[in-house]
Amino acid sequence: MTAVDLKISELTDGAPMQRTDVIAALRGGVNVRYTLGNLLGPLNKLDATSAPAANDDSNAGFDVGSRKFDAARGVSFVCRSAAVGAAKWIRMDNADFFGYVSGRSYHANLNGIIAGAAVTANSARGILLVAKEQVTTRQLGVRVSTAQSGANIQLAIYGSDPATLMPTTLRANTANMSVAATGPVMGDLISNVTLEPGLYWLMYLGDATTAVFTAYVANTQMAAILGGTPAQIMSNAATAMSYVAWNMTAGSWIDLTGVAPTAWGNSTAYAAITFTVA
Amino acid sequence: MDEISICTYVAADGTTTVTVVDRPDQTLTIPPTSSAAERDAQIVAWVEARRAEAGTP
């Protein structure tokens, strides 16, 4: 039995395929394949588990305009060329982002780092993390620039409310960490956490009072994402709106859903927080 | 005079490991049972010793 594709464009005079056309083909002993893709558009693959490759081409049924969704990472691609063995796909989002690599640490945002100022005890200080794709995080870290003995700090990840963008529930946190030595301090999360693409909060909390951590040069990211009052987002201070703070007892993370901040940070008295990919 | 760089790791169970960067043979491990003051006294003494060995003030 011979398999053939019937395309409307190939019918005589471009006339729509009639029932009799199919019957005639079947009587002739052929197996008629006619995919919905020919009628509705190019083939899409929306349950993929990987990014498209060069062989996701016309032989595989794809065409220009085909979509492929990598459900494993939450990333979408569109086909711009289905050339056999050399298909080209464009990442539909995050064109300036190239993926997280296992074992590497990343800063929460693209701002440079700068010497910070002494932190305050029992004040959770949050900065934003935009997860560009699904990522499993195993570790958070800070850099101590002025050490303090006898203090404990912890770091944590919170979710965010899709309407208000403010923190909600605790997703993961570290154990108590020492800041007695200058340099990087990296803390494993008590449980790894998998983040879907979206907005999260990275939080610092401790009983340190004289320790200093590196901070970000200017957190315009926070104003760009959260928005704020004109005074907050158009301050001429480089540190305007650099963190958001909530009163909290060191070592005792609380649910922040609906909890109003105690301060919108206007200094470098917070910690730039990195995360490490599992 | 050689500068030394210190990195502190804290495991999920609270075990603290202090290392001299690029010197994996120089490592201090402190169990999670120590208080913050005890833990940090060990860290400070150990780091000072490593700096003294390296000639770093």
Side-chain angles (χ1 to χ4, degrees):
Chain A
M1 190 175 290
T2 304
V4 297
D5 288 320
L6 294 180
K7 296 182 180 178
I8 292 174
S9 59
E10 293 172 353
L11 294 175
T12 305
D13 299 325
M17 185 171 62
Q18 302 296 317
R19 182 165 172 262
T20 51
D21 296 324
V22 179
I23 292 173
L26 291 174
R27 284 177 174 165
V30 297
N31 176 27
V32 179
R33 286 189 290 121
Y34 203 87
T35 66
L36 281 176
N38 292 106
L39 290 172
L40 304 178
L43 174 67
N44 298 319
K45 176 71 172 170
L46 303 180
D47 59 350
T49 56
S50 63
N55 59 1
D56 285 319
D57 53 21
S58 57
N59 278 353
F62 296 108
D63 202 348
V64 173
S66 286
R67 288 180 58 220
K68 188 170 184 180
F69 181 65
D70 177 357
R73 294 191 299 161
V75 182
S76 184
F77 300 83
V78 64
C79 180
R80 63 177 293 268
S81 170
V84 175
K88 292 182 174 60
W89 293 74
I90 301 169
R91 186 169 170 145
M92 287 299 290
D93 52 1
N94 305 329
D96 60 345
F97 175 73
F98 308 103
Y100 299 115
V101 178
S102 175
R104 291 188 185 170
S105 298
Y106 294 85
H107 262 295
N109 65 48
L110 296 177
N111 289 331
I113 58 172
I114 191 173
V119 291
T120 301
N122 302 313
S123 175
R125 302 198 161 181
I127 58 174
L128 298 177
L129 163 64
V130 179
K132 299 282 191 173
E133 66 182 29
Q134 186 190 74
V135 58
T136 299
T137 306
R138 67 172 175 83
Q139 189 180 64
L140 300 177
V142 294
R143 187 181 188 285
V144 178
S145 51
T146 299
Q148 177 181 348
S149 289
N152 282 319
I153 71 162
Q154 291 188 10
L155 305 172
I157 301 175
Y158 274 74
S160 72
D161 184 304
T164 66
L165 309 184
M166 299 305 282
T168 54
T169 55
L170 174 69
R171 298 294 303 276
N173 63 280
T174 67
N176 280 331
M177 300 158 67
S178 167
V179 292
T182 57
V185 178
M186 309 299 294
D188 287 345
L189 294 171
I190 293 173
S191 297
N192 288 3
V193 60
T194 298
L195 307 176
E196 298 298 330
L199 183 67
Y200 299 87
W201 287 79
L202 296 180
M203 292 277 183
Y204 163 92
L205 176 62
D207 59 7
T209 54
T210 59
V212 177
F213 304 89
T214 50
Y216 293 116
V217 172
N219 206 330
T220 50
Q221 182 210 34
M222 189 163 281
I225 294 175
L226 291 184
T229 66
Q232 285 173 326
I233 67 170
M234 290 186 283
S235 166
N236 61 359
T239 55
M241 208 168 166
S242 51
Y243 64 88
V244 186
W246 290 262
N247 288 339
M248 210 180 292
T249 302
S252 299
W253 298 100
I254 64 171
D255 189 327
L256 285 174
T257 304
V259 179
T262 50
W264 292 76
N266 193 21
S267 74
T268 56
Y270 69 100
I273 300 174
T274 68
F275 64 95
T276 304
V277 178
Chain B
M1 187 177 300
D2 296 325
E3 291 287 340
I4 65 169
S5 298
I6 302 296
C7 190
T8 304
Y9 296 93
V10 180
D13 69 358
T15 299
T16 300
T17 303
V18 185
T19 66
V20 177
V21 175
D22 298 327
R23 290 293 307 272
D25 57 314
Q26 295 192 340
T27 298
L28 169 68
T29 300
I30 305 171
T33 52
S34 299
S35 70
E38 292 169 342
R39 175 198 66 200
D40 290 354
Q42 291 183 64
I43 292 173
V44 170
W46 186 84
V47 170
E48 285 179 352
R50 300 291 80 73
R51 291 191 189 284
E53 286 175 0
T56 304

